[in-house]
């Protein structure tokens, strides 16, 4: 899922070539994010669009040769001047008179600014390819047009190699583009864009007319009279580190911003910094009026906490509300605001919590996760990786909130964006930071093979390096659980044992259920209150808050008639959740299907059996209430398959089920076998919220 | 010891009145930190000068009636017109074609006047605790007349020529500076200003007060309407000398930026110097890139 979709999209056509454009927002000032070389499409700006579109009207288009634009077959169609023509046609079609142009690599930004000063108010040039210094590839001196005996390194920049192994070239080139460690996702994206076109198209572009020598480049640079911002990484493996300074000195009114340690695509690898640099440049050249500001004297401020509760799964918010209540008890003077999104906001509103108005700008993580799931399957590690642009978009919102909001403490319950990007941009940290999580360490699914093991360990390594380098970003890390809940695995082959590392870097709150389960004596009263009769065998089926639960629900309902024959007293209470229509299921006597159920935990606490997914919150609610339950971990969900399963095994709780291997008949039999069965789980503590709150209160 | 000594000093002279100026730093553009009511001389900018001088050229001068400037005795020497003209004279004397002007209280009134009359000399104006007549005075300030003998010496009754001249001046200063700095823990700021206030003879301050209040004046609204340069208004919401509403109106009429300091009093440049320094720097960077 994208973090933001265009408000308007269309095509322009010039000489029979159709070019696809998109426009975002309806703000007064406009920014045109120019396509670069046709080896990639306009998605290269995915980390900029959601942020910039909140302040500006943002226009993008796919270059001819990639994305949704045509792939013409004549060399002349790829003349760089055609891209300038396309840009003007797109601005016309989008109704944009003047724009700040942001160009990556391509010389077309300079051409556009020089030739259309009435349309370009200012220009940002990221890692420009104007040949004013030597390309690192040139230094190896391989000819492009002759077949070579070697295909190592820049010898891959060769027509016959492209023909032979386009993917090999794309992988080489995109890896060279990201010299920064831990760039797997960025490289993967870029390779995907490169494979979206073909070598023939790119070869046409190579034959087309574009500035190739220093003289031409200097001529071009002399053109623009508008303010120009040049951004250059000092580890740029494509155009070299010296390029930015050379371009800045050749342009009339240019300022250089150097990114140390950055490669060729800092807008993808360091999007937070680039976004703020672009925004403040556009603000400066645009002469936008400064809004009225308020600054409150230090001692005049009341104490405030900003709470972020992960919306992935409905589980976090319940425990976070419990922690917030305990925190308010310990520190009544602290005002807690929530930066939250649906469905977390639904719970918070019901609890009367304060939701920060900027919450409305957040891109929906829950919808993204739903879009990533298939039949009882959610590859949550990959889903999290593919949530990258949403995390960038939401971090930008968060950062604005903390810069304005004067928060003493930021509490993030698996607020991945805050934790990751504060480590990536440590100068942005504001206030104390509490990181809460119930698992540590990405683990590979076995069928992902070596590559997935490499990816998870790379993600873990980056996190470990973050913590080691910036121990002051997390003022307190709280593991929601106990040391024994942690899996025995390593973070990766060469990396620490997760349990040891976590014990060293976290405080432990014990598990947080967010409620106190009824005692055996209280159960009958609870049951009566919920309308469950003594002689009924109540089986609650709960499949979480997203659409991924549909398949399991289908299977359990298919098992119902058989189970009912075996257990005439069976009453099945199925909860479809807010995203599944209860009306789609068959109806049977003794089966009821609800959409949303308020405080579902009360039903779980008194049922005779529960059938659930492998999510931590629901299974631990059942463990705490000591009810028998069957749990079906989602396919490819490493957290449910490893972390949660490990924890439940420690408590001796629940029966682990395999969705694919269980047919409805078998399921009916297992339901009959387990319903009402006495259980002997380890106790789950009930003071977790208070302990977590005490750990936070020490900072406030 | 001062944090930064001036790199040049001198006098500008108008009609026989000498005005002592100091210059710091050599950057571009020039920021002129204006005099305020003569109760305090140019040292009231002491927290701004060293920082701003690392980025810009800074000019300060002592207002007529205080510091090392001359102290004429007749009230007519202290009209608004004179104070505004002094600013231009100091710009001339220091070879300053154009400057960003920053003024506190009355200083911002004079800076705005110069911006309206001499737009070619002014890049922008920063106004602190502006005592501009664009909103009603605080009610407590309009109870007692300045030039009548009063029976009370409580509160704003201390703002009175007879009280000043007949032994109450120090008591007035302490009262006045307490109003000036309502922020808790302002002992040092109050002490500084009381000290500067004591350097001036009460008779001179009476002449200044009479001069400032006399003479025909263009309504502030009309002055503001003539201003074309950028304006930054910084105002404490607990300003007990000039109400925040006046600063807000100033920002609105001039199309300027407004920064409200919640919990801030009248002397925010002394009480919240870090914020104020950054605000001035950001403003100058924006308008004089």
């Amino acid at each position: 899922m994208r973090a933001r979709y265009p408000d308007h999209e269309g095509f322009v056509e010039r000489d029979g070539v159709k070019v696809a454009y998109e426009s975002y927002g309806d703000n007064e000032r406009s920014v045109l994010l120019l396509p670069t070389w046709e080896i990639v499409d306009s998605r290269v700006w995915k980390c900029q669009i959601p942020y910039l579109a909140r302040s500006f009207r943002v226009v993008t288009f796919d270059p001819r040769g990639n994305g949704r634009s045509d792939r013409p077959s004549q060399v002349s169609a790829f003349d760089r001047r055609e891209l300038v023509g396309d840009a003007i046609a797109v601005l016309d079609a989008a109704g944009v008179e003047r724009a700040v142009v942001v160009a990556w690599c391509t010389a077309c930004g300079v051409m556009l600014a020089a030739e259309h000063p009435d349309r370009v108010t200012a220009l940002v040039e990221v890692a420009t390819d104007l040949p004013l210094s030597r390309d690192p590839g040139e230094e190896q001196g391989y000819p492009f047009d002759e077949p070579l005996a070697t295909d190592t390194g820049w010898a891959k920049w060769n027509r016959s190699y492209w023909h032979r192994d386009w993917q090999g070239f794309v992988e080489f080139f995109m890896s060279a583009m990201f010299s920064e460690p831990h760039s797997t996702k960025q490289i993967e994206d870029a390779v995907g864009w490169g494979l979206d076109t073909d070598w023939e198209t790119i070869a046409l572009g190579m034959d087309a007319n574009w500035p190739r020598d220093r003289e031409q480049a200097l001529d071009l640079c002399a053109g623009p009279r508008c303010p120009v911002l040049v951004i250059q990484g000092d580890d740029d493996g494509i155009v070299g580190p010296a390029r930015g300074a050379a371009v800045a000195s050749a342009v009339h009114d240019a300022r250089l911003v150097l990114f140390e340690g950055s490669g060729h695509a800092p807008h993808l690898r360091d999007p937070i910094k680039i976004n703020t640099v672009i925004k403040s440049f556009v603000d400066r050249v645009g002469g936008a009026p400064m809004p009225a500001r308020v600054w409150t004297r230090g001692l005049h401020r009341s104490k405030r906490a900003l709470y972020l509760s992960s919306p992935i799964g409905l589980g976090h918010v319940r425990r976070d509300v419990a922690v917030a209540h305990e925190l308010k008890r310990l520190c009544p003077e602290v005002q807690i605001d929530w930066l939250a999104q649906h469905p977390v906001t639904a719970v918070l509103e019901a609890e009367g919590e304060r939701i920060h108005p900027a919450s409305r700008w957040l891109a929906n993580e829950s919808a993204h996760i739903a879009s990533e799931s298939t039949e009882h399957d959610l590859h949550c590690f990959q889903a999290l990786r593919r949530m990258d642009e949403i995390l960038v978009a939401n971090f930008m919102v968060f950062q604005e909130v903390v810069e304005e909001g004067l928060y003493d403490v930021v509490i993030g319950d698996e607020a991945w964006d805050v934790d990751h990007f504060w480590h990536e941009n440590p100068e942005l940290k504001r206030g104390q930071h509490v990181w809460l999580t119930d698992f540590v360490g990405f683990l590979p699914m076995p069928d992902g093979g070596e590559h997935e093991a490499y990816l998870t360990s790379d993600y873990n390594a980056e996190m470990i390096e973050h913590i080691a380098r910036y121990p002051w970003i997390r003022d307190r890390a709280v593991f929601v659980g106990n040391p024994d809940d942690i899996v025995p695995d390593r973070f990766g082959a060469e990396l620490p044992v997760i349990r040891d590392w976590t014990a060293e870097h976290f405080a432990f709150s014990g598990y947080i259920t967010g409620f106190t389960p009824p005692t055996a004596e209280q159960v009958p009263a609870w049951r009566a209150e919920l309308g469950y009769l003594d002689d009924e065998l109540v089986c609650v089926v709960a499949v979480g808050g997203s659409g991924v639960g549909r398949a399991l629900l289908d299977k359990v309902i298919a098992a119902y008639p058989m189970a009912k024959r075996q257990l005439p007293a069976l009453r099945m209470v199925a909860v479809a959740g807010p995203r599944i229509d209860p009306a789609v299921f068959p109806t049977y006597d003794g089966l009821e299907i609800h959409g949303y159920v308020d405080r579902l935990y009360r039903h779980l606490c008194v049922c005779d059996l529960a059938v659930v997914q492998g999510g931590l919150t629901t299974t631990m609610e059942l463990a705490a209430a000591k009810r028998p339950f069957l749990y079906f971990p989602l396919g490819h969900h490493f957290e449910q398959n490893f972390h949660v399963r490990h924890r439940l095994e420690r408590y001796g709780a629940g029966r682990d089920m395999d969705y694919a291997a269980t047919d409805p008949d078998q399921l009916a039999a297992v339901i009959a076998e387990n319903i009402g069965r006495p259980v002997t789980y380890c106790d789950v503590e009930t003071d977790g919220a208070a302990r977590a709150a005490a750990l936070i209160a020490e900072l406030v | 010891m001062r944090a930064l000594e001036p790199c040049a000093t001198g006098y500008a002279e108008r009609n026989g009145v000498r005005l002592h100026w100091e210059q710091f730093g050599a950057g571009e553009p020039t920021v002129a930190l204006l005099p305020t009511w003569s109760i305090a001389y140019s040292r009231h900018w002491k927290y701004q000068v060293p920082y701003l001088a690392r980025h810009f050229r800074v000019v300060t001068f002592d207002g007529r009636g205080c510091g090392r400037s001359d102290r004429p005795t007749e009230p007519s020497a202290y009209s608004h017109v004179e104070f505004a003209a002094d600013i231009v004279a100091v710009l001339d004397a220091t070879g300053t074609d154009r400057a960003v002007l920053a003024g506190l209280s009355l200083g911002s009134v004079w800076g705005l006047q110069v911006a309206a009359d001499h737009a070619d000399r002014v890049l922008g104006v920063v106004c602190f605790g502006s005592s501009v007549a664009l909103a009603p005075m605080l009610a407590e300030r309009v109870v007692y007349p300045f030039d009548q003998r009063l029976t009370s010496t409580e509160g704003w009754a201390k703002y009175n020529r007879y009280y000043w001249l007949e032994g109450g001046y120090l008591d007035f200063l302490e009262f006045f500076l307490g109003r000036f700095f309502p922020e808790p823990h302002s002992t040092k700021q109050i002490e500084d200003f009381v000290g500067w206030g004591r350097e001036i003879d009460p008779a001179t301050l009476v002449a200044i007060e009479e001069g400032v209040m006399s003479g025909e004046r263009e309504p502030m609204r009309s002055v503001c309407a003539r201003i074309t340069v950028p304006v930054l208004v910084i105002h404490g919401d607990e300003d007990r000398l000039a109400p925040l509403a006046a600063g807000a109106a100033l920002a609105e009429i001039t199309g300027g930026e407004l920064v409200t300091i919640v919990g801030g009093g009248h002397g925010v440049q002394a009480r919240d110097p870090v914020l104020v320094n950054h605000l001035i720097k950001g403003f100058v960077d924006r308008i004089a890139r």
Side-chain angles (χ1 to χ4, degrees), chain A residues 36 42 46 188 265 321 329 353 373 390 393 400 563-564 570-571 593 641 670 693:
Chain A
T36 177
S42 59
K46 66 179 195 171
E188 207 172 280
V321 165
R329 201 175 52 77
E353 294 287 329
S373 53
I390 292 177
E400 285 174 3
K564 179 74 176 171
L570 178 63
R571 175 175 171 188
I593 300 172
N641 280 282
V670 180

Side-chain angles (χ1 to χ4, degrees), chain A residues 95-163:
Chain A
V96 172
E97 221 164 283
R98 292 159 68 80
V100 174
V101 173
V102 183
W104 171 39
C105 194
T106 178
C108 294
V110 173
M111 293 164 82
L112 191 58
E115 292 166 14
H116 299 276
D118 52 326
R119 307 300 293 272
V120 180
T121 45
L123 175 64
V124 181
E125 280 282 319
V126 184
T128 173
D129 76 344
L130 283 163
L132 288 175
S133 59
R134 281 171 73 84
D135 290 342
E138 258 176 349
E139 283 161 20
Q140 297 178 22
Y142 295 112
F144 177 70
D145 279 312
E146 295 160 30
L148 299 172
T150 171
D151 58 11
T152 54
W154 284 98
K156 290 185 167 66
W157 184 272
N158 179 277
R159 191 187 299 271
S160 66
Y161 179 74
W162 289 9
H163 188 184

Side-chain angles (χ1 to χ4, degrees), chain A residues 505-523:
Chain A
H505 291 90
F506 278 76
F508 294 83
S509 66
Y511 192 69
I512 303 170
T513 52
F515 63 88
T516 305
T519 60
E521 293 72 41
Q522 289 170 321
V523 167

Side-chain angles (χ1 to χ4, degrees), chain A residues 202-531:
Chain A
I202 301 302
L204 288 172
M206 291 296 291
D207 292 335
N209 185 20
W210 54 347
R212 290 178 197 281
D213 60 37
R214 192 176 164 76
E215 299 314 308
Q216 280 178 303
L218 285 173
D219 275 355
L220 276 177
C221 286
R225 308 314 284 175
C226 62
V228 178
L229 180 73
V230 179
I231 298 172
Q232 177 67 55
D234 79 345
D235 199 17
D236 187 327
I238 304 297
V239 302
R243 183 65 52 88
V247 170
S249 65
V251 173
H252 164 66
D253 177 11
R255 213 179 59 170
L256 174 67
V257 177
L258 192 65
F259 276 52
E260 292 194 334
S262 289
H264 187 60
H267 56 299
L268 287 162
R269 194 59 185 84
D270 284 300
I272 307 302
K273 183 64 184 172
I274 285 266
N275 285 351
T276 50
V277 166
I278 293 176
K279 167 85 162 51
S280 60
F281 177 71
V282 178
D283 281 342
R284 195 159 57 82
V285 299
M290 289 290 279
R293 286 164 287 168
V294 173
W295 181 82
T296 304
R297 302 199 66 245
L299 283 179
H300 205 81
R301 297 175 197 178
S302 53
K303 284 195 182 181
R304 294 169 74 183
L306 184 68
Y307 211 131
L308 292 88
S309 178
S310 171
I312 305 175
L314 264 169
H316 297 96
V317 64
R318 179 61 54 197
R319 76 176 178 218
D320 291 326
V321 165
V323 172
H325 284 169
E326 291 292 337
L327 186 60
K328 286 177 196 169
R329 201 175 52 77
L330 291 172
C331 313
E333 76 282 16
V334 176
Q335 175 193 311
I336 299 175
D337 293 347
W338 298 76
L339 187 64
Q341 49 184 274
H342 188 79
V344 169
T345 41
V347 176
L348 296 176
E349 278 159 11
E351 294 282 340
E353 294 287 329
R354 294 171 57 107
I355 297 169
H356 194 289
S359 297
R360 73 193 180 96
W361 296 112
L362 297 172
N364 195 276
E365 296 174 21
S366 185
H368 167 78
I369 294 297
S371 77
E372 290 278 332
S373 53
T374 55
E375 183 186 335
H376 201 74
D377 190 283
L378 172 60
H379 200 303
C380 73
F381 172 64
Q382 289 293 5
L384 188 68
R385 293 183 81 225
R386 286 191 285 262
M387 200 162 76
D388 54 347
E389 69 177 280
I390 292 177
L391 293 177
V392 171
N394 289 351
F395 176 82
M396 299 305 297
V397 174
F398 160 79
Q399 187 64 27
E400 285 174 3
V401 167
V402 288
E403 283 181 7
E404 286 171 10
L406 321 170
Y407 290 100
D408 295 278
V409 60
V410 171
I411 306 161
D413 185 354
E414 292 179 21
W416 299 100
D417 49 347
V418 173
D419 187 66
H420 178 78
F421 287 117
W422 267 359
H423 282 98
E424 291 275 275
N425 302 266
E427 73 281 6
L428 297 185
K429 189 192 173 197
R430 298 288 185 279
Q432 306 250 36
H433 175 214
V434 180
W435 165 250
L436 281 104
T437 186
D438 54 48
F439 80 92
V440 176
F442 296 115
L443 296 173
M445 296 307 296
D447 65 357
E450 271 181 37
H451 183 63
E452 190 169 320
Y454 159 72
L455 290 178
T456 52
S457 95
D458 183 62
Y459 269 55
N460 291 334
E462 185 180 43
M463 185 274 291
I464 291 167
E465 288 168 35
H466 275 158
I467 306 297
R469 175 61 186 84
Y470 292 106
W472 50 271
I473 292 288
R474 290 181 183 174
D475 295 284
R476 179 131 280 169
V478 179
F479 185 88
V480 180
N482 298 293
D484 289 344
D485 294 332
I486 300 167
V487 292
D489 308 64
R490 285 184 176 276
F491 283 109
E494 308 291 318
L495 297 171
V497 172
I498 297 175
R499 190 177 286 179
D500 298 347
W501 186 90
T502 305
E504 206 174 307
H505 291 90
F506 278 76
F508 294 83
S509 66
Y511 192 69
I512 303 170
T513 52
F515 63 88
T516 305
T519 60
E521 293 72 41
Q522 289 170 321
V523 167
W526 281 44
R527 275 181 76 112
E529 198 182 319
L530 296 169

Side-chain angles (χ1 to χ4, degrees), chain B residues 85-286:
Chain B
D86 288 349
I87 294 172
V88 179
V90 169
L91 293 182
D92 291 341
T94 54
T96 308
D97 287 340
R98 302 185 77 185
V100 177
L101 308 182
L104 167 69
S105 193
L106 272 176
S108 89
V109 175
W110 301 325
L112 291 163
Q113 187 73 48
V114 173
D117 297 342
H118 305 276
D120 57 323
R121 305 297 298 271
V122 179
L123 292 162
V125 190
V126 188
C127 303
F128 299 96
S130 304
S131 35
V132 285
L134 294 172
M137 290 264 275
L138 294 168
E140 61 181 22
R141 288 204 63 178
V142 294
V143 176
Y144 301 103
F146 174 71
D147 49 7
Q148 289 171 29
R149 195 175 289 281
L150 302 172
T151 50
S152 170
T153 58
E154 286 310 304
W156 282 100
K158 298 180 200 292
Y159 200 102
N160 181 278
R161 62 175 293 151
Y162 298 100
Y163 192 58
W164 294 1
L165 294 171
E166 295 168 6
Y169 181 59
L170 182 56
D171 180 52
F172 157 73
L173 282 180
E174 281 167 0
F175 160 77
F176 183 75
L177 274 317
R179 293 281 156 160
F180 205 105
F181 293 107
E183 300 92 337
H185 318 301
S186 299
T187 57
K188 183 59 168 70
Q189 287 78 9
I190 292 172
E191 204 174 282
D192 276 355
F193 271 74
V194 168
W196 298 327
R198 291 180 71 166
E199 289 178 24
I200 178 168
D201 159 35
T204 307
L205 200 61
V206 168
I208 291 167
E209 186 65 8
E210 288 177 344
V212 163
M213 291 192 300
S214 70
E216 280 285 298
R217 280 180 64 194
E218 179 184 358
M220 200 62 216
R221 195 167 287 275
S222 140
V223 174
C224 290
R226 291 194 290 118
I227 289 175
T228 54
V229 298
V231 173
L232 168 63
V233 178
I234 301 169
H235 215 111
D237 75 339
E238 291 189 10
D239 190 325
R240 292 173 190 179
L241 303 185
L244 171 63
L250 171 60
E252 197 184 327
I253 297 167
T254 58
E257 305 171 24
L258 174 66
V259 178
T260 305
I261 299 185
V262 176
H266 193 59
V268 292
Q269 93 296 350
R271 196 60 186 82
D272 289 304
V274 174
L275 172 80
V276 162
N277 290 350
H278 286 158
L279 288 174
I280 297 176
K281 167 84 163 54
F283 178 72
V284 176
D285 284 343
R286 274 199 302 288

